[in-house]
Structure formats: structure tokens, C-alpha cells
Amino acid sequence: MAFNPDLIRKDFPILQQTVHGKPLVYLDNAATSQKPRVVIDRIERYYTRENSNINRGVHYLSEEATREYERTREVAQKFLNARTAEEIVFVRGTTEAFNLVAQCFGRKHIHTGDEILISAMEHHANIVPWQMLREQTGAVLKVAPITDRGELILDEWEKNITPRTKLVSITHVSNVLGTINPVKKLIQIAHDHGVPVMIDAAQSVPHMQVDVQDLNCDLLAFSGHKVFGPTGIGVLFGKEAILQDMPPYQGGGDMIASVTFEKTTYKAAPFKFEAGTPHVAGVIAMATALEYVSQLGWAAIHQQEQDLLDYTTARLQEIPGVTILGTAPEKASVISFIMNDVHAHDIGTILDSEGIAVRVGHHCAMPLMNRLGVPATARVSFAFYNTRADVDRFIAALHKVEEVFR
Amino acid sequence: MSDLSELYQQMILDHNRKPRNFGKMEGADRSAEGYNPLCGDHFHVYLKMDHDRITAVMFDGAGCAISKASASIMTDVVKGKTRDEVHALFDRVHAMLTGDHSEGPETLGKLAVFSGVSEFPTRVKCATLAWHTLKAALAQQIEAVSTE
């Protein structure tokens, strides 16, 4: 079946509304994606027919909820092509996954003087947890530089790895620049030095097939809400040996095998990382989201988004004073730009008045903003439900920005 | 859209393009730094004082049109005022920016140009950043203030 964005848009109720009297154009997908009707319905069905606590009831509802919750682990396993469902840990999102790894892997394996290698294009979620670990252990945070085009310097990548490097943690796709990093190669080089690698896949899983066995990453995280699922739920993938080796994250109910006041024993991974009653509705609806996006087909999604990326990149040239930040040849459908003498915040307000949602600011990547030498950028980011008509509205609104500030 | 032209009035655009009292003041008695981490607006306000009275005021830094024009017009209107007068004026400006038009914006002179900001809640912090920075300078606070 041919891919028809106009038909697919009907799956997304939120896209049908008007904002400030104009049809909504949603170009802030890198911040969060919209939810198809099937995901919204799945949440409603859970709360109307299945709501119960998991892993502890003998009654019908609890068994149903537990089965659906664990089924999601298998859906996520297939989505990432993990080897087993036990390699899937449910977390609140990518941010929690990094905090979990920093505390559980980091405090066990990363000591004073040991190095964690990240890059200059990381989101705060892949910076601050390591800084907190640094304060706790005296570890060293090393930052691989990037070029002005927004690419890692591949020839020098290996030099960043030293005998003290204990972990490489790097983004697959930059949330600001759109750059797709050649992570498979970076992982292989790190492995040549015996260093495990964690991948921030928050911005890649909405756009492309991510195969953890093909990449051979050791740890990887993504957020459900960026891939058309609910907020407050995400996935940490970890190779089985790494997960089993890590101590638990938070203590409490559900993560224990037995408890006495003298001694507690823990469940095996992934369950030892899931203390307390989890976000059951979110987990179950995330399965629906992952199945929804998978059945659309990655080739069709890529074709649609690549067209939007190319078309927008070309049409931005017609606006006087626009500069695109991030011009790597391999990009996802994310475009950051600045406009001469017009602050990003003013661009955002004027676009909003036209019903167009974009992100403006530092995008939770303040060190990258410093590297680029700008206080803020405006950013458009596309999903498969965006169309060239959306881009035309966006470009027309930018002409209006230019008129106001001329 | 009428709201938008209320926000970006000609006087605001003019002060954004050609900010008054813009630059680093040599020999300032007091100064303070203001920062809005949400959008990256970042200003310094410099003062010369005669006891409680502002005899000279300048600012520098970078930010959106609303924050820059607000800083520029603020420096125009607070020169010659005492600390208490500035505080009383800011209270009235803040009321206007947050949608309390009971007083009638026209009583605020050229500051009334910012009355449209109240229709844009996310931009109120832009318009108040320079004022908070000025108040920090008057209080001789040394640390950067933030509108977050």
C-alpha cells in the first residue's frame, strides 16, 4: 500500500484542530511526537477494562495486565531486535535510563580518574548524570569535539579513547543538528579498546530502524513519547551480561526476591531495575505505538521525511538572513536555524500566531549552543505525518517574521 | 493577527534595532547580571547613583526583541528616579504585563507599549528580565538573577 500522509494524518486527532484560528502545523516532533488514535484508545481501554496492579494479583484483571505488560517487553525486543526480552528495562524515559546507568554501572565500574567519553552534541540527559557521577567518584568526563558542520571528527575519534576510558556514551541522532552519527563504526572502535558503549536513541527511533544486534551497542535508551507513545515511559536496552552485573537502581516493591530486616535478595534483571508499581498504562500503550510505527514501514517513513528535509532545506534559502546550523550529509528530519537580527524567541511567537508549533531556545543542549556560538536557535522537526503543505505554511510564516522585523 | 501587532509595536521594534543607553558603563557604582535560561536572554544593567537616586543607567547583552526593547525603554524612564520610585513603577509595570489593566496602561507613558505582552504569557519573563536585573543592581546583589 502506498504511503499517503494525508490518510495517515487522520490517525492523529490532535492534528485536526485549529490554533489561533488556523489549522495546526506541528513541527516540534523532536520535543515530543503526537499520538495516533490507537494509542489513545489503548490507554482508555486499559483504564476502563484492565486496570490493576501487576505481578501480585491472582485475579483476572491482574493476570491480564501482567500479560500485556510483559508482552510489551517482547514488542520492544522485536522493535530493537534485542536477543531476549530480558534485555528490555522499562524506565520513565531516556533521561532516567542515563541516570540508571550512571548510578548502577558507573558507581560499580567507574572510579577516580576513570573516563567517560561523550560528544559535544549531547543532550543534557547525556551530560548531567555523568557530572553527578563525577562528583561522587572523581571520574573524568571527556568530550569529543565536532566540526562546524556538526559532525564528529572521525579521524580523531580513536584518540579520545584512552586506557582509562570506561564507557562511551553518545547520541545516535543530534536533537539540535539532526546529524546521524555513524554509531556502528564508533562502537566497533570502542570495542577494539574493550570499552562498552551506550547509545542515546531518543532521536533515532522515531525515524529509522534501530537494530541493537547490528549496532552491537552495549546499552541503548529511548523515550516512548518521542515515538508516538505516551509520556513518562521509555526503554533501556542492555546486553544481558551487563544488566545482570549491574546492582539494582531503586529499592522497593516488586524488585525483590525476598526481604527480611537482616537481608534482602533481588530479582534478576530486568525486574531488579523496576521497583514499585510501574506506569502500566504507559507501557502497554507504548507497545501499541511501536507496533503502529513498525507497520507503517521504515522505508516509507524515511522517504517521506527525507523529502521534507530536502524541501525545507531548499526553501529556507529564500528567506533573507537564514542560516541552517548542522549541515552534515547524513541528517534526520531536524533543522535548526537562526535568522539575522531576529531572536529565535521572536520567531517562535510569530510562527505560533500562525498556528505553527516549533521549538526555540537551547534545546537542552547548552554546551552545543556555546560550541555553535549562538544563544538559541529555532528548530523544525518532522514526523511522517507532516507534509509539504506544512512546510509551505512554515515558509510563508517566516516571510511574515521577516516583514515584521524588516 | 491583531495580537501580534499589539506585541511587536513600532516603538518596540525601534528600540530592538537601536537600543538606547546600550553598552558597558565605565565606572558604574553598581551592576547586575540577568539571565533567562529558557530562551538565553542575557543582560547586564549598570548604574551610577547619587545616594538613592539613579543618575545614569546603561545596559548591554543580547536577547529577543521584547527583552531588549524592555531594557532600552526601562533605562530611558528610570533615570533620575529613586530606588523606591523604581520599585513602585515596576509593580505597576508588572501588573500591566500580567494582564491587570485596572490602572489604564496609558498612565505608564511609553511603558504602555508593552501592554500587549499580557496576551503572550510565555513572553512576560522577557519583558521583566531587565527590571529584575535593575532591582538586583539596586539591591547590590552580586549573583546573576534569573526569571526562571
Side-chain angles (χ1 to χ4, degrees):
Chain A
M1 193 178 77
F3 188 84
N4 181 348
D6 292 324
L7 209 59
I8 282 167
R9 288 175 74 81
K10 294 192 166 55
D11 291 346
F12 292 80
I14 206 168
L15 298 178
Q16 317 305 324
Q17 72 185 302
T18 57
V19 168
H20 304 311
K22 303 189 174 138
L24 169 67
V25 171
Y26 186 77
L27 302 180
D28 196 16
N29 294 284
T32 196
S33 60
Q34 298 304 345
K35 320 306 173 199
R37 170 55 74 190
V38 285
V39 169
I40 299 165
D41 286 349
R42 189 66 192 89
I43 294 170
E44 191 190 345
R45 192 170 102 214
Y46 172 74
Y47 281 121
T48 48
R49 297 188 55 93
E50 299 164 345
N51 178 49
S52 58
N53 214 324
I54 57 165
N55 294 332
R56 60 201 82 191
V58 295
H59 57 77
Y60 173 79
L61 291 184
S62 179
E63 282 178 5
E64 274 297 294
T66 304
R67 183 160 43 238
E68 285 297 311
Y69 183 88
E70 288 306 321
R71 191 184 78 83
T72 305
R73 222 183 284 280
E74 290 166 17
V75 171
Q77 174 209 343
K78 286 196 193 81
F79 185 76
L80 294 176
N81 192 31
R83 223 167 40 78
T84 70
E86 285 68 40
E87 292 181 324
I88 303 296
V89 182
F90 295 127
V91 288
R92 278 175 18 229
T94 309
T95 296
E96 185 172 53
F98 278 112
N99 280 280
L100 189 160
V101 173
Q103 290 306 306
C104 301
F105 179 87
R107 292 183 82 166
K108 181 163 179 181
H109 294 291
I110 303 175
H111 307 296
T112 308
D114 288 343
E115 295 169 3
I116 304 139
L117 176 60
I118 62 172
S119 84
M121 66 172 88
E122 299 306 323
H123 187 283
H124 293 164
N126 191 21
I127 301 172
V128 183
W130 309 118
Q131 292 174 325
M132 292 166 71
L133 179 69
R134 178 172 68 186
E135 278 176 28
Q136 291 161 342
T137 67
V140 177
L141 186 58
K142 278 185 71 172
V143 182
I146 57 171
T147 66
D148 290 340
R149 296 206 304 179
E151 292 176 283
L152 285 166
I153 306 165
L154 277 188
D155 297 343
E156 296 182 17
W157 170 253
E158 197 160 6
K159 287 187 208 151
N160 297 306
I161 300 171
T162 77
R164 296 304 300 268
T165 309
K166 287 293 189 295
L167 183 71
V168 169
S169 187
I170 196 149
T171 193
H172 193 175
V173 169
S174 163
N175 70 313
V176 177
L177 306 162
T179 309
I180 303 173
N181 285 318
V183 286
K184 185 173 177 180
K185 189 158 184 218
L186 303 178
I187 291 164
Q188 193 196 329
I189 293 168
H191 284 177
D192 289 345
H193 294 262
V195 180
V197 181
M198 176 159 188
I199 298 296
D200 177 351
Q203 298 291 343
S204 56
V205 292
H207 301 295
M208 63 189 76
Q209 181 144 42
V210 173
D211 180 330
V212 293
Q213 291 193 71
D214 178 54
L215 295 179
N216 199 18
C217 54
D218 301 278
L219 296 148
L220 175 142
F222 72 84
S223 298
H225 74 93
K226 290 198 202 285
V227 61
F228 317 103
T231 55
I233 191 67
V235 164
L236 168 66
F237 155 84
K239 283 182 178 169
E240 201 172 345
I242 287 195
L243 291 186
Q244 295 298 1
D245 171 70
M246 290 200 296
Y249 182 43
Q250 296 174 324
D254 230 26
M255 52 80 74
I256 50 86
S258 77
V259 177
T260 67
F261 284 119
E262 288 70 39
K263 183 171 173 57
T264 291
T265 55
Y266 309 119
K267 281 185 181 165
F271 309 102
K272 68 179 172 187
F273 300 111
E274 296 175 9
T277 298
H279 184 8
V280 184
V283 167
I284 292 174
M286 181 168 66
T288 308
L290 299 181
E291 289 171 328
Y292 175 86
V293 69
S294 297
Q295 58 86 26
L296 288 177
W298 292 111
I301 289 171
H302 176 75
Q303 193 180 8
Q304 174 69 6
E305 294 181 350
Q306 189 68 41
D307 178 68
L308 294 170
L309 177 65
D310 294 344
Y311 181 63
T312 309
T313 303
R315 289 217 56 195
L316 277 170
Q317 313 299 323
E318 71 187 59
I319 313 287
V322 162
T323 306
I324 293 175
L325 300 171
T327 51
E330 294 292 320
K331 275 181 71 169
S333 52
V334 174
I335 304 174
S336 270
F337 65 96
I338 52 173
M339 245 174 124
N340 274 354
D341 303 327
V342 186
H343 192 276
H345 216 162
D346 296 311
I347 296 173
T349 292
I350 295 173
L351 294 187
D352 176 62
S353 75
E354 295 291 314
I356 300 166
V358 303
R359 175 82 184 264
V360 296
H362 55 62
H363 315 292
C364 297
M366 290 168 89
L368 176 57
M369 294 291 115
N370 289 336
R371 168 64 182 82
L372 299 171
V374 295
T377 76
R379 179 188 71 188
V380 290
S381 50
F382 300 103
F384 50 75
Y385 45 63
N386 290 121
T387 62
R388 282 194 176 208
D390 290 341
V391 179
D392 293 339
R393 289 264 312 277
F394 162 65
I395 295 292
L398 277 187
H399 280 294
K400 185 161 183 184
V401 173
E402 203 254 331
E403 272 167 36
V404 169
F405 280 87
R406 186 177 290 155
Chain B
M1 184 175 170
S2 62
D3 283 355
L4 198 63
S5 53
E6 285 293 303
L7 182 65
Y8 292 108
Q9 294 195 35
Q10 215 46 52
M11 192 198 292
I12 290 179
L13 295 171
D14 177 55
H15 276 263
N16 176 51
R17 256 190 302 269
K18 291 173 293 191
R20 321 295 195 266
N21 307 305
F22 188 78
K24 187 171 166 51
M25 182 191 283
E26 298 302 328
D29 297 325
R30 301 172 181 199
S31 71
E33 180 182 12
Y35 182 53
N36 182 346
L38 184 72
C39 47
D41 295 344
H42 192 187
F43 293 105
H44 281 88
V45 171
Y46 308 95
L47 297 177
K48 277 188 183 148
M49 305 286 293
D50 178 11
H51 296 95
D52 241 16
R53 194 170 294 279
I54 297 171
T55 57
V57 50
M58 291 181 73
F59 81 104
D60 66 3
C64 66
I66 305 300
S67 64
K68 202 169 179 186
S70 176
S72 175
I73 293 173
M74 178 192 80
T75 56
D76 265 354
V77 301
V78 301
K79 189 178 169 188
K81 290 195 168 18
T82 66
R83 180 204 311 249
D84 288 347
E85 286 167 348
V86 166
H87 284 167
L89 182 59
F90 175 68
D91 288 344
R92 293 168 63 203
V93 170
H94 191 264
M96 173 187 73
L97 292 173
T98 51
D100 175 1
H101 298 312
S102 55
E103 196 181 358
E106 64 283 356
T107 63
L108 282 164
K110 62 171 121 173
L111 289 167
V113 76
F114 294 103
S115 62
V117 172
S118 64
E119 297 296 317
F120 296 82
T122 59
R123 307 306 298 273
V124 172
K125 284 181 291 192
C126 307
T128 56
L129 179 61
W131 286 90
H132 286 296
T133 312
L134 171 65
K135 284 172 71 176
L138 285 171
Q140 275 199 313
Q141 288 172 16
I142 299 159
E143 289 184 7
V145 300
S146 163
T147 51
E148 278 303 284

